[in-house]
Amino acid sequence: MMTQEQPVSEDDKCTKTEGWDHDDTGKRIEKRVTPNGTYYNELIVNVFCQVCGAEFIGPSREAGGFIGGHECLHAWEFGQAMSRDDGLTE
Ligand SMILES: [Zn+2]
């Protein structure tokens, strides 16, 4: 039985604060200090953009920003393409 109370084992800890790669995916960063705040116990995740295939490995918070940023960009690109198709430009 898995419990939520299990302590994080040494193997699951990541002491890196930058430069994460595939080997770090699934580990936790115990503490990460940034200009915006201090993050504790963040999971390192591996995500990618389904539209353009870009990949990101890093803290959950940044992964969310990566996905959101790509979504926003591709939505904008899509909007641009649609308006061209409508013949509204030129
Ligand atoms: Zn993308």
Side-chain angles (χ1 to χ4, degrees):
M1 284 278 279
M2 293 285 289
T3 72
Q4 300 292 324
E5 304 296 321
Q6 272 187 339
V8 177
S9 75
E10 289 297 322
D11 286 349
D12 293 336
K13 287 180 188 170
C14 182
T15 52
K16 284 186 198 173
T17 53
E18 61 182 347
W20 303 282
D21 56 30
H22 286 98
D23 290 340
D24 301 313
T25 304
K27 294 181 182 176
R28 277 182 194 279
I29 308 160
E30 287 193 288
K31 182 179 179 183
R32 183 169 67 93
V33 180
T34 79
N36 299 320
T38 306
Y39 298 79
Y40 293 96
N41 297 316
E42 256 189 313
L43 200 62
I44 298 170
V45 295
N46 182 4
V47 298
F48 63 93
C49 173
Q50 291 180 316
V51 178
C52 71
E55 187 178 4
F56 175 89
I57 297 173
S60 311
R61 167 65 184 85
E62 311 302 335
F66 168 88
I67 294 167
H70 273 262
E71 278 181 1
C72 286
L73 173 71
H74 297 311
W76 180 84
E77 287 174 337
F78 188 68
Q80 294 290 106
M82 287 297 286
S83 60
R84 274 199 299 274
D85 289 348
D86 290 344
L88 296 178
T89 53
E90 293 189 344

